[in-house]
Amino acid sequence: MPHYECISVETEDRVTTVTLNRPHKRNAMSPQLNDEMLDALTRLSTDGGTDVLVLTGAGESFSAGMDLKEYFRETDHDPVLADKARWTMREWSYNRLRFFPRVTIAAVNGWCFGGAFMPLISCDLAIAADEARFGLSEVNWGILPGGLVTRDIAMALGYRDALFYALTGDTFDGRRAQEIGLVNSSVPREELGEAVRELTAKLRKLNPEVLRSTKETFRHAATMNYEQATDYMAAKSAQLLTRDREDGRQKGLSQFLDTKEIKPGLAPYQRTDSEA
C-alpha cells in the first residue's frame, strides 16, 4: 500500500484495519481523506490477503463527519470541485465500502457525527464503545443530513428513532446506539479492541466466499420482489459453486452426514489450515 497522510492501513492475520487518521480534527473527512479512502478500498478489494476489513478512527473519535472548512467552504466557489468532493465521498463510503467483497466491521471508538453515519451504516457489522457519542448534527447548522445519510438512517433505524435524532440533533451513546439498532453491540472502550478481535476470529473460521455471496445476496435481494429475489438467489447459489475453491458445501455435508464431526446449527464445518 502507498503511504497515506490521512489514513493508515495495517494487516495482521488476514484482518485489515483501516484507520481514519486525523485525530487533531477528530478524523473529520476532508477531500484528501476521501481520496485516500477511495484509493485504499479500491486496492484492498482485490487483495487476496484480506478476509475481514475493520474501519475505525485514531484517538478519541471515529469521525466527526465532514470537514466543514475543507469539504464545504473551500469548495463552495467551484462547482466542479464541489461535485468531485461529493462524488469521491459517496463512492468510497457507499459503493466501495458497502459492496466490499469481504465482511466489514465498524469499530466506533468515539465521536461519530453527521456524514460519518454513512461509512458506519455501510459496514456490514458494527461495535461501539459505550462512551462513543453519536449525533446527526446537520440540523444544528442549517442543512439536511447529507449525502445518503437520510436514506441510511431510514434503513438502519426505526421510524421514530430516525426522525427524532434527525430533527433534534440530540446526541446518544454507544449503549443507546445498540438499543436502536445502529450497532450490533456496545462495550466499554477498553474492551472494544478485544470485542472486535473476537468477532473477526469468528468470521475467519467461516468460508470467505460463502460470506461474500451471503452479504451480496442480502444487500441486493432486499430491494427486489419475491419473484426477482428467487431468481437472483438461485443465480448467486450457482455462482458460489464456481467461486468456492474449497468446496465448502460438500465438506459441510460430509462432516455432518458421514464423519459426524459437526452439527451445522452449532458450529461451522472444519476448514484446513491452508484454507483458514
Side-chain angles (χ1 to χ4, degrees), residues 154-202:
M155 177 186 72
L157 305 182
Y159 175 81
R160 295 297 182 193
D161 291 323
L163 271 175
F164 178 82
Y165 289 112
L167 292 173
T168 65
D170 282 6
T171 64
F172 53 97
D173 63 12
R175 298 181 191 88
R176 179 60 177 160
Q178 180 180 353
E179 289 176 1
I180 63 178
L182 182 61
V183 300
N184 296 103
S185 60
S186 179
V187 298
R189 181 177 287 143
E190 63 270 18
E191 299 176 16
L192 180 61
E194 182 57 31
V196 172
R197 284 189 289 274
E198 289 179 2
L199 180 55
T200 58
K202 178 180 293 188

Side-chain angles (χ1 to χ4, degrees), residues 9-18 44 47-55 100 102-105 107 193 196-205 276:
V9 181
E10 297 179 354
T11 300
E12 182 177 356
D13 294 332
R14 302 184 67 81
V15 176
T16 296
T17 300
V18 179
L44 290 169
D47 176 33
T50 296
D51 283 343
V52 181
L53 180 81
V54 177
L55 180 66
F100 193 77
R102 297 297 183 228
V103 177
T104 56
I105 303 170
V196 172
R197 284 189 289 274
E198 289 179 2
L199 180 55
T200 58
K202 178 180 293 188
L203 292 167
R204 288 212 55 231
K205 292 179 181 178

Side-chain angles (χ1 to χ4, degrees), residues 135-152:
L136 293 166
S137 53
E138 288 89 344
V139 70
N140 292 330
W141 65 283
I143 69 167
L144 307 176
L148 293 169
V149 173
T150 301
R151 182 182 185 279
D152 277 346

Side-chain angles (χ1 to χ4, degrees), residues 69-228:
K69 179 176 181 289
E70 295 186 31
Y71 185 84
F72 289 103
R73 176 165 287 176
E74 293 184 359
T75 64
D76 278 349
H77 68 284
D78 188 335
V80 174
L81 194 62
D83 282 346
K84 179 183 182 298
R86 287 192 292 268
W87 180 88
T88 304
M89 170 60 186
R90 187 169 58 247
E91 184 66 17
W92 85 256
S93 66
Y94 184 82
N95 290 326
R96 302 298 174 93
L97 187 58
R98 187 162 304 216
F99 301 106
F100 193 77
R102 297 297 183 228
V103 177
T104 56
I105 303 170
V108 186
N109 52 307
W111 297 91
C112 180
F113 277 72
F117 275 61
M118 203 149 83
L120 165 61
I121 294 173
S122 287
C123 285
D124 303 315
L125 306 170
I127 304 176
D130 292 341
E131 300 87 342
R133 299 297 298 179
F134 298 82
L136 293 166
S137 53
E138 288 89 344
V139 70
N140 292 330
W141 65 283
I143 69 167
L144 307 176
L148 293 169
V149 173
T150 301
R151 182 182 185 279
D152 277 346
I153 61 170
M155 177 186 72
L157 305 182
Y159 175 81
R160 295 297 182 193
D161 291 323
L163 271 175
F164 178 82
Y165 289 112
L167 292 173
T168 65
D170 282 6
T171 64
F172 53 97
D173 63 12
R175 298 181 191 88
R176 179 60 177 160
Q178 180 180 353
E179 289 176 1
I180 63 178
L182 182 61
V183 300
N184 296 103
S185 60
S186 179
V187 298
R189 181 177 287 143
E190 63 270 18
E191 299 176 16
L192 180 61
E194 182 57 31
V196 172
R197 284 189 289 274
E198 289 179 2
L199 180 55
T200 58
K202 178 180 293 188
L203 292 167
R204 288 212 55 231
K205 292 179 181 178
L206 299 165
N207 184 319
E209 294 303 334
V210 175
L211 292 176
R212 175 183 179 180
S213 294
T214 298
K215 68 174 280 185
E216 289 173 350
T217 300
F218 177 87
R219 290 199 181 278
H220 289 294
T223 62
M224 299 176 184
N225 63 37
Y226 277 97
E227 291 75 18
Q228 293 168 332

Side-chain angles (χ1 to χ4, degrees), residues 7 18 20 33-42 55 92:
I7 67 173
V18 179
L20 307 180
L33 182 146
N34 293 333
D35 286 342
E36 292 180 3
M37 281 300 305
L38 179 57
D39 183 80
L41 291 179
T42 300
L55 180 66
W92 85 256

